[in-house]
Amino acid sequence: MRLLILDEPEQRLDPDARRRLAELLIGEKKDGVAVLLATHQADLAEAVADQMVALEDGEVIADGRPTDVLETRWAGPGEPGRGVVRRRRPHSGDAPVAAEQAS
């Protein structure tokens, strides 16, 4: 098995280039490559990943299918939730998102 590890590969990419990156990573998956992707871009993670892990301060605060993780709203009523994962206890910062994809 081959493993591709990427740490925020979308940095400094415009939206079109980010979409092309997602297409390339999906192609790698189809070719049997496992992809481990660290990103703050929820749309990229959702497009590419089969499994997502949300981290904050090195701790796992959510894991599961990307749609499930991104739909979770820990921030409280009236605060944004889609694409922003926040920790279960009150905190002012957004959690970075790490996504993992294995074929």
Side-chain angles (χ1 to χ4, degrees):
M1 175 192 280
R2 296 180 306 164
L3 173 64
L4 179 60
I5 301 172
L6 302 164
D7 184 11
E8 299 185 22
E10 77 286 350
Q11 291 297 310
R12 298 192 173 127
L13 295 181
D14 63 46
D16 288 333
R18 202 174 306 136
R19 280 190 289 278
R20 288 194 306 272
L21 173 64
E23 291 169 3
L24 289 170
L25 294 176
I26 291 166
E28 291 296 320
K29 176 190 170 192
K30 288 178 182 175
D31 289 341
V33 176
V35 177
L36 178 63
L37 171 67
T39 183
H40 290 264
Q41 297 293 323
D43 291 342
L44 178 61
E46 189 171 28
V48 174
D50 295 324
Q51 182 75 19
M52 177 181 282
V53 178
L55 303 172
E56 185 169 308
D57 299 326
E59 294 182 32
V60 174
I61 61 169
D63 67 288
R65 295 179 311 165
T67 304
D68 296 337
V69 171
L70 293 172
E71 289 295 330
T72 302
R73 292 189 169 114
W74 290 298
E79 293 186 32
R82 178 76 178 142
V84 177
V85 180
R86 297 184 187 236
R87 61 193 308 168
R88 296 164 204 210
R89 52 196 180 273
H91 187 271
S92 61
D94 295 341
V97 176
E100 175 183 337
Q101 174 172 328
S103 55

